[in-house]
Each structure stands twice: as C-alpha cells, then as structure tokens.
Amino acid sequence: QVQLVESGGGLVQTGGSLSLACEASGSIFRIVAMGWYRQAPGKQRELVATINAGHSINYGDSVKGRFDISGDSALSTVFLQMNNLKPEDTAVYYCNAAGYYSDRRHFELWGQGTLVTVSS
C-alpha cells in the first residue's frame, strides 16, 4: 500500500513564506502526477498546483506567481514553496498522488492534510 505524508504547515504573517513537503512511500511502480489542493473553512476544495511525470506544471489562478511546485525525478517527494502569503491562503493543504502500484494497478490517494494559517 502507498501512503502520503505532508509536512511544513504552520502559522505565518501576511507577506511571509512557508514550504510544504509531501513524501510518497510504499509499493510504488511509478507516480505519474502529484498535486496540492486546499480547503478553507466552509469552502470547497480547490486546486493549488500540480506536477506530472514529465514535470509539466499547472497552478491555480489564485496562487500563480506566488507559489512554486517542484519534485524529484520520480515525484517521490514534492514541495510547495509558498511566498507572499495572504490571509485568504489560510486553509488545510492536501497532497494528492496518482500512479501505479508495483503490480501495475492504478491508484489515486490523498494525504492527511497540513494546516496553513496566515495572520494579518
């Protein structure tokens, strides 16, 4: 079985920075895509950023120009560098991974989430 573990959340002032990490482990043949999503209290979950096996990247409009996603060659570990944080960035941030188990079955999994709080 595959598991995802997020880390790096915390409290930061407006204009500050945080870096999140998501590590995938288990019986993985290949990860084809990783992404970060967030959900603020009382709101729907929204896309933050995704990166695929070819390292093509996509950002949500609300974070474009402020956040950067990156990963190692196998996408075993993916980072989200968050800069110029705003109060509206306050949310629980979730890691998502899609790929194939060692037996070639497809998977899509979510991490437990990490809380980011931006104060003003």
Side-chain angles (χ1 to χ4, degrees), residues 12-18 66 82-87 89 118-120:
V12 65
Q13 291 184 335
T14 297
S17 298
L18 282 175
R66 298 188 297 122
M82 304 183 293
N83 303 305
N84 192 24
L85 284 160
K86 304 174 180 180
D89 295 318
V118 184
S119 63
S120 61

Side-chain angles (χ1 to χ4, degrees), residues 9-84:
L11 176 64
V12 65
Q13 291 184 335
T14 297
S17 298
L18 282 175
S19 183
L20 307 182
C22 177
E23 183 177 4
S25 62
S27 300
I28 300 169
F29 173 69
R30 180 174 295 172
I31 296 172
V32 299
M34 294 275 277
W36 287 98
Y37 299 78
R38 68 187 184 186
Q39 188 165 20
K43 296 185 178 180
Q44 297 286 331
R45 188 172 298 186
E46 67 174 346
L47 168 71
V48 176
T50 60
I51 183 169
N52 68 15
H55 285 223
S56 296
I57 292 169
N58 179 249
Y59 293 101
D61 289 341
S62 63
V63 307
K64 196 171 299 181
R66 298 188 297 122
F67 291 10
D68 295 295
I69 189 170
S70 62
D72 62 17
S73 60
L75 302 183
S76 296
T77 304
V78 174
F79 302 94
L80 183 70
Q81 178 65 46
M82 304 183 293
N83 303 305
N84 192 24

